[in-house]
Amino acid sequence: MNPQNTQEKIDSFSLPDRKSESWRKIDIKRIKQIINLSEGEEEEEGDNSNNLPVIADNSFRIILRTGVNDIDINKLPEGLELITTSEIREYINQSINKLDHKDDWGIKLNNKAKTQTFGLRIKKNNKVSLEIVIPEKINKLKAMRLLFIVEESSKFNLLEVITGETYSAHSVVSEMIIKENAIVNHGMIAVSKGKSTLLAKRSVSQEINSNYSFSFINQGWNLSRIEPEIVQLKGQATTYLRGLQIAQENQQLSTFSKIKFNGPDGNLNQLQKSMIENSAHSIFNGIIDVPQIAQRTNAAQLTKNLLLTEKGQVDTKPELRIIADDVKCTHGATISELEEEELFYLQSRGLKSSDATNLIIKGYAKDILDYFPLKISRWSSLNPLFIQ
Amino acid sequence: MSKNDAVAEIVSKPYKYGFLTDIETEKIEKGINENIIRLISKKKKEPPFLLEFRLKAYKQWINLKEPDWAEIGYPPINYQDIIYYAAPKDIEKKKSLEEVDPELLETFEKLGIPLNEQKRLSNVAVDAVFDSVSIATTFKEKLAEDGVIFCSIAEAVQSYPDLIEKYLGSVVPKNDNFFAALNSAVFSDGSFVYIPKGVKCPMELSSYFRINSGDTGQFERTLIIAEEGSSVSYLEGCTAPMFDTNTLHAAVVELIALDDASIKYSTVQNWYSGNEDGKGGIYNFVTKRGHCRGKKSKISWSQVETGSAITWKYPSCILQGEESIGEFYSVALTNNKQIADTGTKMIHIGPKTKSTIISKGISAGYSKNSYRGLVQIGSKAKGSKNYSQCDSLLIGNQAEANTYPYINSRQLKTNVEHEASTSKISEEQLFYLQSRGISNEEAVSMMVSGFCREVLNQLPLEFASEADSLMALKLEGTVG
């Protein structure tokens, strides 16, 4: 881990352009709170390593703390290799540049902060299961830059767990380079207790015949912005995106996804679900970009929103840009409340009203939670829904 | 003939309304400033409130920025290089059609809109607008028997100033957006419709817009008011001659429906779209909005957009009255280098409001066809429902189809559903039809027509002459 101390203070950092479509709906007051946070010293790290659940079978756990290098290279499982700082520099921005990010505010913030870098290589033909835990820095901003290179024909299960309890903020920018024939099952549990902020960019580039599945849960942040951005470099790859957003109290949770097909015969299946309670605000923006070269692309996007209380707010905006003519692209969006009929049916079978509601919600979440790697039921202290 | 050839032939029929009428016109000098606005107002003998309306709009327009969010990408428009008023000479509204310049009548006849008594379309009253002024309005007397007012805006300003003062700008405020402000400052003519309480308008009303001068902008203004329990169906058609310069068309349409009233507004837009290389054509930047003010009122927009170099419009409904209904049915066909950025906004304010959106985009050649829509459910719109469907059909591998459906909801007791698909003409279906002995061209035509059917079915039958322009594009009905 290599803290970069040369960065200037971010106090003077300018706010994102509210006129831009992707920041228009974001509560700027909450962004200001991030900028006003100072960056913490090493010892202020929240340490909850004693409370962590058991490690899943046949997997390895890494806890990413600021400035503490507690990864023993010798203990890394077979097939995993730390990437050197110089190599990280070489690779960094590679996938991000492919997605035309010139003035991305989230990346700028990450660059300006005292960013920690960390990189891992999953070597050819190996199968690795890894859990990465990113705890908060109490009442401080924590910026991380991660790089994963998944080499040819390897199989990589990754579960990231990002948490926050205090008025802290995470800025995590990660890049994953997936080579030919590699299969990645990526899960992210991003759960907070209502005060912290999360800005997470997940930039992924896929070579042909690779398979990338990203499932995530976004819950309990004062403000969150999860940005999965995937580019199929030459098409002919498969991508699954499954997001569950649970917005409560007065939280503002958002997902901005972008998928670009730079070659023919790509596949995408995207399902985004939200549950909104109290006066929370849930935002989804999903770009699918199919240029002329991407013939025979097959892309499906579905957004479902479940409003559970009167005051919740939902914004959903699919964006499809299609130039190739031989494609199949579909998208759908729904906003609704709990089905009276379903509730009635369950109650007529003897379930209490609250139990019936819970059962429906559980089923609603199951579509997403079923696809996480590394048994997430272990993390049920964060959300009881994880026990399916 | 291969499939692509057939498609190419179908979508690239020449523009048959591109002729220019040689008629003496009175034009004012180019450019826009307060004096020009005073001059337009004076020429139209307008009451002071309207001049004030125009001047205020102009002041607001100067401070507004031309929007660029749609990333449409057109060269900058020089607003000082446009003539804001042009009218055929001596066109003080004639008492009878016999006094109207025969050249003009012939123009409209060529366009399939006969204004002569003998040849009039039965059961359709027409208001014909040539450049900046209304030439003739047919069946006025017959309509007056039922108390229906159908005339040009200019005439309404003279005869019914109270109604104009009360409703003009009440749905689209003068500073609503850049082009609406420009229109409010310099609007020339357009149609005015007033349907009194309880009256079902006995015939279809129709306006026909013709841009003739190459350097004139057209800024028409349409205002339709449907009082309690009334209903009306209104049709609008547009054509222009071929010039290799771009002409600006910035219209504003305002609809107001009170309790139990219903307005159906149909458009067949066939402005000149420029040549194959995208030279020339109309910039069609229009603001259309309907306000369902009353309980159980209904506003329905249907549009067939085939012309214009750039179309940029979002006919919208503000659903304020309880149980009011908004509908939007649209076919947008683009070819060559045309750009269409169109869609709708359904703003649900009142409880139990309902809206339906059906949009079909067909893009061919190097064109760009976007659906951009907003469905907004406000916190008081309990029990509201929306269903949206927007489908795109791509013909050729250089065309672009974009979809930006935006949904915002603040209400639990609602149901919003949106679905969309993008596809091409399926080889299998084409093969099937051909195997039944249907020629390639007919098969493509049938499939395109089937693709648009839900929308075309919404067009009033009486719109025969305008649907003709559709036929020219062979979107519909070429197969016997």
Side-chain angles (χ1 to χ4, degrees), chain A residues 25 292 314 316 320 322 329 331 333, chain B residues 397 401 403 406-407 418 420 422:
Chain A
K25 289 280 172 183
Q292 200 201 336
V314 181
T316 162
L320 274 73
I322 297 158
C329 289
H331 68 106
Chain B
N397 59 8
T403 318
Y406 195 172
I407 303 171
H418 173 91
T422 302

Side-chain angles (χ1 to χ4, degrees), chain B residues 446-462:
Chain B
M446 279 168 83
M447 282 163 65
V448 171
S449 142
F451 177 74
C452 303
R453 182 150 302 276
E454 282 159 287
V455 176
L456 297 180
N457 282 347
Q458 294 296 324
L459 285 177
L461 268 181
E462 289 83 351

Side-chain angles (χ1 to χ4, degrees), chain A residues 21 24-25 292 295 307-310 312-337 340, chain B residues 3 372 379 382 390 394-424:
Chain A
E21 196 55 38
R24 208 165 57 89
K25 289 280 172 183
Q292 200 201 336
Q295 297 292 341
L307 275 163
L308 296 170
T309 53
E310 292 276 348
Q313 192 186 167
V314 181
D315 272 287
T316 162
K317 189 177 175 208
E319 283 190 56
L320 274 73
R321 304 174 190 157
I322 297 158
I323 302 182
D325 66 335
D326 190 2
V327 296
K328 257 194 213 152
C329 289
T330 59
H331 68 106
T334 61
I335 300 178
S336 59
E337 57 175 334
E340 300 268 352
Chain B
K3 182 192 92 185
R372 200 185 294 269
S379 54
K382 206 169 179 173
C390 42
L394 285 150
I395 297 173
N397 59 8
Q398 302 287 342
E400 192 173 335
N402 303 326
T403 318
Y404 310 99
Y406 195 172
I407 303 171
N408 173 288
S409 175
R410 287 169 179 262
Q411 172 53 249
L412 160 76
K413 302 274 178 194
T414 57
N415 220 318
V416 179
E417 285 174 43
H418 173 91
E419 53 186 84
S421 71
T422 302
S423 55
K424 66 164 189 168

